[in-house]
Amino acid sequence: MKDFLNHALYVFRSNPVTAVAFIAFGLIVLVAVFGALLVPYDPLAIEAANQFSPPSWQHWFGTDQVGRDIFSRTVVATRIDLLISVVAVALSLVVGTALGCIAGYYGGWFDRLCGRLVDTIMAFPLFVLAMGIVAALGNSVVNIIYATAIINLPFYIRLARAEVNVRRSSAYIDAAILAGNSDTRIITLHLLPNILPPMMVQISLNMGWAILNAAGLSFIGLGVRPPAAEWGIMVAEGAQYIVSGEWWISFFPGMALMLCVLCFNFIGDGLRDMMDPRKRT
Protein backbone atom coordinates (compact mmCIF):
# COMPACT_ATOMS: atom_id res chain seq x y z
CA MET A 1 0.00 0.00 0.00
CA LYS A 2 2.84 2.37 0.86
CA ASP A 3 4.52 1.68 -2.48
CA PHE A 4 1.28 2.38 -4.31
CA LEU A 5 0.82 5.72 -2.51
CA ASN A 6 4.40 6.71 -3.26
CA HIS A 7 3.88 5.84 -6.92
CA ALA A 8 0.61 7.84 -6.99
CA LEU A 9 2.44 10.89 -5.62
CA TYR A 10 5.11 10.42 -8.27
CA VAL A 11 2.43 10.35 -10.99
CA PHE A 12 0.83 13.53 -9.60
CA ARG A 13 4.16 15.35 -9.52
CA SER A 14 5.11 14.28 -13.03
CA ASN A 15 1.69 15.09 -14.51
CA PRO A 16 -0.03 18.08 -12.81
CA VAL A 17 -3.08 17.73 -15.09
CA THR A 18 -3.74 14.33 -13.54
CA ALA A 19 -3.51 15.81 -10.05
CA VAL A 20 -5.97 18.58 -10.97
CA ALA A 21 -8.33 16.01 -12.50
CA PHE A 22 -8.31 13.89 -9.34
CA ILE A 23 -8.91 16.95 -7.17
CA ALA A 24 -11.79 17.96 -9.43
CA PHE A 25 -13.21 14.44 -9.18
CA GLY A 26 -13.06 14.66 -5.38
CA LEU A 27 -14.92 17.98 -5.50
CA ILE A 28 -17.56 16.47 -7.81
CA VAL A 29 -18.12 13.62 -5.36
CA LEU A 30 -18.40 16.05 -2.43
CA VAL A 31 -20.88 18.19 -4.36
CA ALA A 32 -22.90 15.10 -5.24
CA VAL A 33 -23.03 13.92 -1.62
CA PHE A 34 -23.43 17.19 0.26
CA GLY A 35 -24.53 19.69 -2.38
CA ALA A 36 -28.24 19.39 -1.62
CA LEU A 37 -27.55 20.46 1.98
CA LEU A 38 -25.51 23.52 1.03
CA VAL A 39 -27.45 25.17 -1.80
CA PRO A 40 -28.97 28.57 -0.95
CA TYR A 41 -32.39 27.89 -2.50
CA ASP A 42 -34.80 25.03 -2.96
CA PRO A 43 -34.06 23.71 -6.49
CA LEU A 44 -37.78 23.08 -7.10
CA ALA A 45 -39.11 26.33 -5.61
CA ILE A 46 -40.95 28.45 -8.19
CA GLU A 47 -40.82 32.26 -7.91
CA ALA A 48 -42.68 33.80 -10.84
CA ALA A 49 -41.55 37.29 -9.85
CA ASN A 50 -37.89 36.32 -10.38
CA GLN A 51 -38.14 34.56 -13.72
CA PHE A 52 -35.33 35.18 -16.24
CA SER A 53 -33.18 37.00 -13.67
CA PRO A 54 -29.57 37.25 -14.98
CA PRO A 55 -26.62 36.14 -12.82
CA SER A 56 -26.30 38.33 -9.73
CA TRP A 57 -25.14 38.21 -6.12
CA GLN A 58 -28.56 36.88 -5.10
CA HIS A 59 -28.66 34.22 -7.83
CA TRP A 60 -25.12 33.38 -8.96
CA PHE A 61 -26.21 31.54 -12.10
CA GLY A 62 -29.47 33.46 -12.57
CA THR A 63 -32.98 32.01 -12.62
CA ASP A 64 -34.92 30.07 -15.23
CA GLN A 65 -38.27 30.59 -16.92
CA VAL A 66 -40.25 29.92 -13.73
CA GLY A 67 -37.89 31.63 -11.29
CA ARG A 68 -35.96 28.61 -10.01
CA ASP A 69 -32.37 29.22 -8.92
CA ILE A 70 -30.07 27.71 -11.55
CA PHE A 71 -27.06 27.45 -9.25
CA SER A 72 -29.01 25.34 -6.76
CA ARG A 73 -30.40 23.15 -9.54
CA THR A 74 -26.97 22.69 -11.15
CA VAL A 75 -25.42 21.62 -7.86
CA VAL A 76 -28.24 19.23 -6.96
CA ALA A 77 -28.22 17.71 -10.46
CA THR A 78 -24.66 16.47 -9.85
CA ARG A 79 -25.96 13.71 -7.58
CA ILE A 80 -28.36 12.08 -10.00
CA ASP A 81 -26.02 12.32 -13.00
CA LEU A 82 -23.07 10.90 -11.07
CA LEU A 83 -25.28 8.18 -9.58
CA ILE A 84 -26.46 7.06 -13.01
CA SER A 85 -22.90 7.08 -14.32
CA VAL A 86 -21.33 5.16 -11.42
CA VAL A 87 -24.01 2.48 -11.15
CA ALA A 88 -24.26 1.93 -14.92
CA VAL A 89 -20.50 1.67 -15.39
CA ALA A 90 -20.12 -0.61 -12.36
CA LEU A 91 -22.84 -2.90 -13.69
CA SER A 92 -21.36 -3.09 -17.18
CA LEU A 93 -17.84 -3.53 -15.72
CA VAL A 94 -18.78 -6.50 -13.55
CA VAL A 95 -20.89 -8.29 -16.17
CA GLY A 96 -18.68 -7.43 -19.15
CA THR A 97 -15.42 -8.33 -17.42
CA ALA A 98 -16.82 -11.66 -16.21
CA LEU A 99 -18.09 -12.58 -19.68
CA GLY A 100 -14.89 -11.42 -21.37
CA CYS A 101 -12.62 -13.31 -18.95
CA ILE A 102 -14.55 -16.56 -19.36
CA ALA A 103 -14.66 -16.17 -23.15
CA GLY A 104 -10.95 -15.37 -23.38
CA TYR A 105 -9.84 -18.13 -21.01
CA TYR A 106 -11.97 -21.02 -22.25
CA GLY A 107 -12.78 -20.02 -25.85
CA GLY A 108 -15.07 -22.41 -27.69
CA TRP A 109 -18.82 -21.96 -27.98
CA PHE A 110 -19.01 -19.43 -25.14
CA ASP A 111 -16.45 -17.23 -26.86
CA ARG A 112 -18.46 -17.36 -30.09
CA LEU A 113 -21.68 -16.57 -28.20
CA CYS A 114 -20.11 -13.53 -26.53
CA GLY A 115 -18.77 -12.41 -29.90
CA ARG A 116 -22.24 -12.52 -31.43
CA LEU A 117 -23.66 -10.61 -28.45
CA VAL A 118 -21.06 -7.87 -28.88
CA ASP A 119 -21.66 -7.73 -32.64
CA THR A 120 -25.41 -7.43 -32.09
CA ILE A 121 -25.06 -4.52 -29.67
CA MET A 122 -22.45 -2.76 -31.78
CA ALA A 123 -24.60 -3.10 -34.91
CA PHE A 124 -26.82 -0.30 -33.56
CA PRO A 125 -25.79 3.30 -32.99
CA LEU A 126 -25.31 3.10 -29.24
CA PHE A 127 -27.30 6.19 -28.32
CA VAL A 128 -30.15 5.07 -30.58
CA LEU A 129 -30.09 1.67 -28.88
CA ALA A 130 -30.27 3.37 -25.47
CA MET A 131 -33.22 5.43 -26.72
CA GLY A 132 -35.01 2.27 -27.82
CA ILE A 133 -34.42 0.49 -24.52
CA VAL A 134 -35.64 3.43 -22.44
CA ALA A 135 -38.64 4.02 -24.73
CA ALA A 136 -39.61 0.35 -24.41
CA LEU A 137 -39.09 0.04 -20.64
CA GLY A 138 -40.10 3.57 -19.58
CA ASN A 139 -38.07 6.67 -18.76
CA SER A 140 -37.11 6.01 -15.16
CA VAL A 141 -33.69 6.31 -13.55
CA VAL A 142 -33.41 2.51 -13.21
CA ASN A 143 -34.13 1.97 -16.91
CA ILE A 144 -31.63 4.67 -17.89
CA ILE A 145 -29.01 2.81 -15.84
CA TYR A 146 -29.88 -0.49 -17.55
CA ALA A 147 -29.74 1.08 -21.00
CA THR A 148 -26.41 2.77 -20.30
CA ALA A 149 -24.95 -0.45 -18.89
CA ILE A 150 -26.05 -2.46 -21.93
CA ILE A 151 -24.49 -0.12 -24.48
CA ASN A 152 -21.22 -0.14 -22.50
CA LEU A 153 -21.01 -3.95 -22.27
CA PRO A 154 -19.11 -4.49 -25.57
CA PHE A 155 -16.17 -2.34 -24.44
CA TYR A 156 -15.51 -4.48 -21.36
CA ILE A 157 -16.24 -7.83 -23.01
CA ARG A 158 -13.85 -7.12 -25.88
CA LEU A 159 -11.12 -5.64 -23.72
CA ALA A 160 -11.23 -8.38 -21.07
CA ARG A 161 -11.38 -11.13 -23.69
CA ALA A 162 -8.41 -9.73 -25.62
CA GLU A 163 -6.26 -9.24 -22.52
CA VAL A 164 -7.05 -12.68 -21.07
CA ASN A 165 -6.60 -14.38 -24.44
CA VAL A 166 -3.07 -12.93 -24.70
CA ARG A 167 -2.07 -13.79 -21.14
CA ARG A 168 -3.58 -17.27 -20.73
CA SER A 169 -0.56 -18.88 -22.40
CA SER A 170 1.99 -16.90 -20.36
CA ALA A 171 4.62 -18.63 -18.25
CA TYR A 172 3.15 -17.44 -14.95
CA ILE A 173 -0.25 -18.90 -15.88
CA ASP A 174 1.39 -22.24 -16.73
CA ALA A 175 3.16 -22.12 -13.39
CA ALA A 176 -0.14 -21.41 -11.60
CA ILE A 177 -1.75 -24.38 -13.34
CA LEU A 178 1.14 -26.67 -12.41
CA ALA A 179 0.87 -25.48 -8.80
CA GLY A 180 -2.67 -26.85 -8.70
CA ASN A 181 -4.66 -23.59 -8.83
CA SER A 182 -8.25 -23.86 -10.03
CA ASP A 183 -9.46 -21.96 -13.10
CA THR A 184 -11.46 -19.59 -10.90
CA ARG A 185 -8.42 -18.80 -8.78
CA ILE A 186 -6.25 -18.26 -11.85
CA ILE A 187 -8.76 -15.86 -13.40
CA THR A 188 -9.43 -13.85 -10.22
CA LEU A 189 -5.95 -13.76 -8.67
CA HIS A 190 -3.59 -13.96 -11.65
CA LEU A 191 -5.38 -12.63 -14.72
CA LEU A 192 -7.68 -9.91 -13.35
CA PRO A 193 -4.91 -7.90 -11.59
CA ASN A 194 -2.90 -7.88 -14.83
CA ILE A 195 -5.77 -6.67 -17.02
CA LEU A 196 -6.75 -3.96 -14.53
CA PRO A 197 -4.66 -1.06 -15.97
CA PRO A 198 -6.41 -0.95 -19.39
CA MET A 199 -9.75 -1.52 -17.64
CA MET A 200 -9.15 1.55 -15.48
CA VAL A 201 -8.73 3.72 -18.56
CA GLN A 202 -11.92 2.29 -20.03
CA ILE A 203 -13.82 2.92 -16.81
CA SER A 204 -12.72 6.56 -16.80
CA LEU A 205 -13.87 7.08 -20.39
CA ASN A 206 -17.15 5.24 -19.84
CA MET A 207 -17.98 7.39 -16.82
CA GLY A 208 -17.95 10.47 -19.02
CA TRP A 209 -19.89 8.73 -21.78
CA ALA A 210 -22.49 7.50 -19.28
CA ILE A 211 -23.11 11.04 -18.02
CA LEU A 212 -23.40 12.29 -21.61
CA ASN A 213 -25.79 9.46 -22.41
CA ALA A 214 -28.01 10.23 -19.41
CA ALA A 215 -28.00 13.95 -20.22
CA GLY A 216 -28.72 13.24 -23.88
CA LEU A 217 -31.71 11.06 -23.04
CA SER A 218 -33.05 13.74 -20.71
CA PHE A 219 -32.46 16.38 -23.40
CA ILE A 220 -34.78 14.58 -25.86
CA GLY A 221 -37.38 13.77 -23.21
CA LEU A 222 -36.52 10.10 -22.56
CA GLY A 223 -34.45 10.54 -19.42
CA VAL A 224 -35.15 11.90 -15.97
CA ARG A 225 -38.54 13.53 -15.83
CA PRO A 226 -39.08 17.24 -15.07
CA PRO A 227 -39.18 19.08 -12.73
CA ALA A 228 -36.25 17.08 -11.34
CA ALA A 229 -32.90 18.88 -11.47
CA GLU A 230 -30.76 17.18 -14.13
CA TRP A 231 -28.20 18.72 -16.47
CA GLY A 232 -29.75 17.43 -19.68
CA ILE A 233 -33.21 18.68 -18.71
CA MET A 234 -31.84 22.09 -17.77
CA VAL A 235 -29.97 22.45 -21.07
CA ALA A 236 -33.11 21.44 -22.98
CA GLU A 237 -35.27 23.91 -21.06
CA GLY A 238 -32.83 26.76 -21.67
CA ALA A 239 -32.14 26.01 -25.34
CA GLN A 240 -35.31 27.70 -26.52
CA TYR A 241 -34.42 30.93 -24.70
CA ILE A 242 -30.87 31.38 -26.03
CA VAL A 243 -32.08 33.32 -29.06
CA SER A 244 -34.03 35.75 -26.88
CA GLY A 245 -30.93 36.45 -24.76
CA GLU A 246 -31.43 34.28 -21.65
CA TRP A 247 -28.20 32.36 -22.28
CA TRP A 248 -27.48 31.52 -18.65
CA ILE A 249 -30.34 29.01 -18.34
CA SER A 250 -28.56 26.38 -20.43
CA PHE A 251 -24.98 27.71 -20.27
CA PHE A 252 -24.15 26.86 -16.65
CA PRO A 253 -25.63 23.31 -16.63
CA GLY A 254 -23.88 22.71 -19.96
CA MET A 255 -20.57 23.90 -18.51
CA ALA A 256 -21.01 21.62 -15.48
CA LEU A 257 -21.64 18.69 -17.81
CA MET A 258 -18.61 19.53 -19.96
CA LEU A 259 -16.25 19.94 -16.99
CA CYS A 260 -17.41 16.67 -15.44
CA VAL A 261 -16.83 14.71 -18.65
CA LEU A 262 -13.49 16.45 -19.18
CA CYS A 263 -12.42 15.48 -15.67
CA PHE A 264 -13.16 11.79 -16.29
CA ASN A 265 -11.25 11.87 -19.56
CA PHE A 266 -8.18 13.39 -17.91
CA ILE A 267 -7.96 10.91 -15.03
CA GLY A 268 -7.76 7.96 -17.43
CA ASP A 269 -4.03 8.30 -18.06
CA GLY A 270 -3.34 8.83 -14.38
CA LEU A 271 -5.24 5.69 -13.39
CA ARG A 272 -3.38 3.68 -16.01
CA ASP A 273 0.00 4.84 -14.70
CA MET A 274 -0.97 4.15 -11.07
CA MET A 275 -2.33 0.67 -11.66
CA ASP A 276 0.33 -0.56 -14.09
CA PRO A 277 3.14 -2.21 -12.06
CA ARG A 278 5.51 -1.95 -15.04
CA LYS A 279 5.49 1.85 -14.70
CA ARG A 280 6.37 1.87 -11.00
CA THR A 281 9.83 3.12 -10.10
Side-chain angles (χ1 to χ4, degrees), residues 11 18 22 197 200-201 203-204 266-276:
V11 172
T18 298
F22 273 89
M200 291 295 102
V201 179
I203 290 171
S204 176
F266 277 143
I267 66 177
D269 289 339
L271 283 174
R272 179 195 60 199
D273 294 340
M274 291 178 193
M275 301 301 296
D276 193 347

Side-chain angles (χ1 to χ4, degrees), residues 59-270:
H59 299 279
W60 294 351
F61 291 176
T63 61
D64 61 11
Q65 67 277 10
V66 293
R68 295 173 297 193
D69 183 64
I70 296 176
F71 174 77
S72 300
R73 289 176 60 78
T74 302
V75 170
V76 171
T78 307
R79 176 180 296 180
I80 189 169
D81 281 299
L82 190 62
L83 175 66
I84 292 173
S85 175
V86 170
V87 176
V89 171
L91 186 60
S92 59
L93 170 68
V94 172
V95 176
T97 303
L99 293 177
C101 286
I102 295 172
Y105 188 78
Y106 291 106
W109 66 269
F110 190 83
D111 186 20
R112 293 191 294 271
L113 181 63
C114 286
R116 299 296 80 75
L117 173 63
V118 169
D119 292 341
T120 302
I121 295 175
M122 297 296 288
F124 295 90
L126 295 183
F127 185 72
V128 175
L129 179 59
M131 288 171 52
I133 295 172
V134 174
L137 299 179
N139 56 332
S140 65
V141 173
V142 174
N143 293 334
I144 295 171
I145 291 173
Y146 287 152
T148 305
I150 289 173
I151 66 174
N152 283 327
L153 269 179
F155 302 106
Y156 297 103
I157 294 177
R158 282 184 168 180
L159 185 57
R161 179 196 174 278
E163 293 291 331
V164 170
N165 193 41
V166 170
R167 289 174 169 81
R168 68 178 179 178
S169 57
S170 301
Y172 70 92
I173 298 299
D174 293 336
I177 295 174
L178 292 174
N181 290 278
S182 64
D183 291 343
T184 303
R185 184 178 178 86
I186 291 172
I187 292 174
T188 56
L189 297 183
H190 297 279
L191 288 173
L192 274 179
N194 284 281
I195 70 172
L196 204 54
M199 301 296 283
M200 291 295 102
V201 179
Q202 191 63 54
I203 290 171
S204 176
L205 295 174
N206 283 142
M207 289 283 287
W209 293 341
I211 290 179
L212 283 177
N213 182 72
L217 290 173
S218 298
F219 184 86
I220 63 176
L222 289 175
V224 181
R225 299 178 181 179
E230 197 277 333
W231 290 332
I233 293 176
M234 298 172 68
V235 172
E237 290 176 344
Q240 58 185 315
Y241 300 106
I242 293 178
V243 177
S244 59
E246 290 80 19
W247 53 270
W248 57 86
I249 300 177
S250 60
F251 175 78
F252 290 108
M255 286 295 296
L257 177 62
M258 184 201 73
L259 292 175
C260 190
V261 175
L262 193 64
C263 170
F264 286 123
N265 289 340
F266 277 143
I267 66 177
D269 289 339

